[in-house]
Amino acid sequence: MLGIFDSGVGGLTVVKELQKRIPNLDFVYFGDTARSPYGTKSQDTIFRYAEESVQFLITQGATVIAIACNTVSAIALDYLRKKFKLSFLDVINPIVNTALKSSQHKKIGVIGTSTTIRSKIYNTILTQRDSHATIFEISAPLLVPLVEEGFINRSETRRIIKYYLRPLKLAHIDTLILACTHYPFLTKAIHSIMGKQVKILNPSESLVVENLAFLKTLDQNNDQKFYVSDDPDKFRKTMFQWLRKSAQVQNISAIIKN
Ligand code: DGL
């Protein structure tokens, strides 16, 4: 069974892509809502949180883990692979393939949380794979709380996006990776600011598309469970707003403590 792990609600962007392509796929989702955001936390803290979360998913029957969170994929993927004898799918390696295929001039922008951008993981992997690629990385931390507050089509949000994207516009990138679970909800505004010529890429989509053949081999009995470490009501409401999906959400604050 697939385990989906995120720091909170953001991993619902992976669920959204699964809904489109393999709607009955069985999975168990854990969102660490008590301890999010992860994007401002240190490496050691993220290692500890990620290890506990994966351990929980294993107890729920997960045999392969999709790390929906860009911050965890950036910081803790190797750590988790060493700790657990399981397959891990991440959001970075698939989008790197997509970006290199789609970028004509190999001028690629990346926006993500402070921790993801500080790790320089995108620069490292993209330039290892193509030494002609030039990568421009910018952290855009304010966008996470704005999306969580539902400030999607607001002029305030647009102004903040414009501020963050300015250096990428000046750099004339032709491809932009939205390297944070929450940013795909702002695609429309980002597109209109960057212009139609810039390709906007969603790592949650790439995770599902690049691993589609494998994911289709997993059970599809519509057995989908959601767990959070705090405030299941808020998670349920967000899930309905973002995906129009209703489901039970269980609180495991007794197991994963803040
Ligand atoms: N899920 C995180 C990511 O994709 C964003 C939210 C957080 O900072 O925890 O990087």
Side-chain angles (χ1 to χ4, degrees):
M1 157 124 78
L2 180 68
I4 304 173
F5 164 45
D6 183 60
S7 55
V9 288
L12 289 172
T13 46
V14 168
V15 174
K16 187 174 177 180
E17 299 305 323
L18 289 172
Q19 251 183 359
K20 284 188 213 159
R21 296 173 177 88
I22 333 174
N24 294 323
L25 185 73
D26 297 355
F27 63 76
V28 50
Y29 181 108
F30 174 59
D32 196 1
T33 48
R35 305 189 292 195
S36 78
Y38 280 17
T40 49
K41 305 255 169 16
S42 69
Q43 171 175 293
D44 285 353
T45 302
I46 292 168
F47 281 179
R48 183 159 55 84
Y49 289 177
E51 189 176 339
E52 288 171 8
S53 303
V54 168
Q55 192 62 58
F56 169 73
L57 287 169
I58 293 171
T59 64
Q60 298 309 305
T63 50
V64 46
I65 307 279
I67 303 175
C69 181
N70 281 261
T71 305
V72 175
S73 296
I75 297 295
L77 182 63
D78 290 344
Y79 177 81
L80 292 171
R81 284 196 167 133
K82 276 185 204 133
K83 279 267 159 195
F84 298 99
K85 297 268 164 291
L86 277 187
S87 300
F88 286 93
L89 311 178
D90 71 301
V91 274
I92 297 179
N93 286 293
I95 198 72
V96 161
N97 291 340
T98 314
L100 289 174
K101 268 184 246 155
S102 83
S103 171
Q104 202 189 338
H105 304 291
K106 304 290 180 267
K107 288 180 101 177
I108 301 171
V110 180
I111 52 173
T113 64
S114 307
T115 303
T116 297
I117 297 305
R118 226 179 13 245
S119 77
K120 297 199 163 55
I121 185 93
Y122 280 94
N123 188 55
T124 307
I125 301 186
L126 283 159
T127 52
Q128 258 167 15
R129 300 270 302 274
D130 186 334
S131 57
H132 299 296
T134 314
I135 315 305
F136 303 86
E137 294 176 285
I138 302 279
S139 64
L142 286 175
L143 302 184
V144 167
L146 285 168
V147 169
E148 291 199 1
E149 285 305 313
F151 275 45
I152 306 285
N153 296 314
R154 301 278 286 247
S155 56
E156 298 88 335
T157 307
R158 205 184 143 80
R159 276 210 297 281
I160 292 169
I161 299 173
K162 220 170 172 171
Y163 163 79
Y164 282 136
L165 294 182
R166 199 176 138 73
L168 301 180
K169 260 192 99 90
L170 292 175
H172 299 291
I173 59 164
D174 65 8
T175 300
L176 175 61
I177 300 176
L178 306 183
C180 171
T181 44
H182 291 53
Y183 302 170
F185 291 101
L186 302 169
T187 301
K188 218 167 134 195
I190 292 171
H191 238 311
S192 80
I193 291 165
M194 291 307 292
K196 286 220 159 32
Q197 73 289 358
V198 176
K199 292 189 185 111
I200 312 289
L201 305 181
N202 171 1
S204 302
E205 186 178 357
S206 288
L207 182 150
V208 173
V209 170
E210 295 266 329
N211 293 295
L212 196 60
F214 166 71
L215 290 167
K216 281 185 171 167
T217 66
L218 302 176
D219 288 344
Q220 298 180 41
N221 304 310
N222 205 16
D223 179 9
Q224 303 179 349
K225 295 198 179 72
F226 293 87
Y227 295 93
V228 292
S229 47
D230 193 24
D231 208 343
D233 284 343
K234 189 167 175 209
F235 187 92
R236 207 171 26 241
K237 277 185 202 138
T238 306
M239 178 156 55
F240 190 75
Q241 271 167 11
W242 288 3
L243 310 187
R244 296 282 148 215
K245 183 177 174 70
S246 306
Q248 258 206 346
V249 181
Q250 297 187 54
N251 191 352
I252 56 152
S253 56
I255 302 170
I256 303 265
K257 294 192 175 68
N258 192 356

